[in-house]
Amino acid sequence: MASKDQADPQQVVKQETASQRRVTVRTLQQRKDAKEKISMLTAYDCMTAIWLDRAGVDCILVGDSLGMVFQGKPTTVSVTVNQMIYHGRIVASAVQHSMVIVDLPFPIGQLGIRNTVRVAAKILKRTGCSAVKMEGGAAQADSIAALVDAGIPTMAHIGLRPQSVHAMGGFRVQRDREQLLQDAIAAQEAGAFAVLIECVPAKLASSITRDLRVPTIGIGAGKGCDGQVLVTQDMLGFGEKSIGKFVRGYANMYSIANDAIKSYCSDVVSGKFPSDAESFE
């Protein structure tokens, strides 16, 4: 029996095994170095987080996309820090394997370095997530560096930046090669552990990926990125209409749910539900 001052070898092995199962910043870098692809999807609730985690998704992004997907808003701009903390805590508490990353909502990255670090630390502490994601590249390099120096793993986000959709003139493909490369390299040199590339021509995103030491995660940026991310509700077909060119529908949950709900309503009206087997004596 191990003494109080001596670690139990079996317990140490169990802890190390659990640590190896959890995806980390190091895991993602190893994937890039080995030319192995990285999977990422979004979650804002416990059940979705469990689905993704148990299915083996590498990273779960608690994105400010919840403003559009969960709240039905036209953009992500109105999402608050407290809302990100609320959803981030729910997702992180449900996950055993995946790396959980939480978005810094608008306009945190534009309110000064000290405030950015303060808010990011608050999110990290209150949610239990492993990292934050921050929209921006060269212009936000100092903030990214400050976050990393504070011990907060940070993913950068370049290309189409939904928080800046009004300034960028809408949801459009981004083609400025010089600016995109400058943003990507600046983020990497500031210490970002990965760079998300959104709505960029495939060849350009592939070129940026080859130029970077850190992993890239693409959405609407072609297959040359080191990994891919989609909004889970888009990928599973929760909406009545198709979302966009870069989204592949792996299911049509809208149709499945619609049929099931109609059947339920019909059974209630006809008296078929509940049956005797579904009732208590």
Side-chain angles (χ1 to χ4, degrees), residues 62-239:
V62 185
D64 59 1
S65 50
L66 69 87
M68 301 173 73
V69 176
F70 191 83
Q71 298 173 344
K73 303 290 180 61
T75 72
T76 67
V77 173
S78 64
V79 176
T80 68
V81 171
N82 285 338
Q83 288 169 349
M84 294 308 306
I85 290 173
Y86 173 78
H87 290 275
R89 182 189 299 123
I90 289 171
V91 170
S93 66
V95 168
Q96 298 175 0
H97 160 80
S98 306
M99 179 178 183
V100 177
I101 303 164
V102 176
D103 263 335
L104 292 182
F106 177 84
I108 299 307
Q110 288 71 40
L111 294 180
I113 294 174
R114 188 179 182 85
N115 184 65
T116 299
V117 173
R118 181 184 65 80
V119 174
K122 180 179 178 181
I123 289 174
L124 201 73
K125 290 172 69 173
R126 294 195 179 181
T127 66
C129 70
S130 298
V132 299
K133 180 171 74 65
M134 178 176 174
E135 290 192 10
Q140 283 72 40
D142 289 344
S143 292
I144 294 172
L147 290 173
V148 175
D149 285 345
I152 304 172
T154 305
M155 173 181 284
H157 182 156
I158 69 170
L160 174 62
R161 290 172 284 124
Q163 293 177 9
S164 302
V165 63
H166 298 305
M168 300 181 90
F171 295 96
R172 301 184 300 108
V173 176
Q174 303 300 302
R175 304 179 184 276
D176 188 335
R177 179 185 181 86
E178 184 177 345
Q179 183 63 59
L180 289 165
L181 185 57
Q182 180 183 353
D183 284 338
I185 292 177
Q188 173 183 264
E189 297 310 308
F193 70 86
V195 178
L196 190 147
I197 304 175
E198 181 167 359
C199 286
V200 169
K203 289 184 179 180
L204 178 51
S206 182
S207 175
I208 292 171
T209 298
R210 290 193 299 269
D211 287 341
L212 292 184
R213 299 185 305 275
V214 299
T216 61
I217 306 295
I219 177 167
K223 63 182 180 181
C225 295
D226 297 307
Q228 299 292 328
V229 61
L230 285 175
V231 171
T232 299
Q233 284 80 356
D234 293 346
M235 182 271 289
L236 290 179
F238 272 47

Side-chain angles (χ1 to χ4, degrees), residues 10-24 27 96-98:
Q10 291 184 340
Q11 187 63 31
V12 170
V13 170
K14 288 180 181 179
Q15 291 174 350
E16 289 179 348
T17 302
S19 176
Q20 289 167 0
R21 285 198 300 268
R22 174 75 74 167
V23 175
T24 66
T27 309
Q96 298 175 0
H97 160 80
S98 306

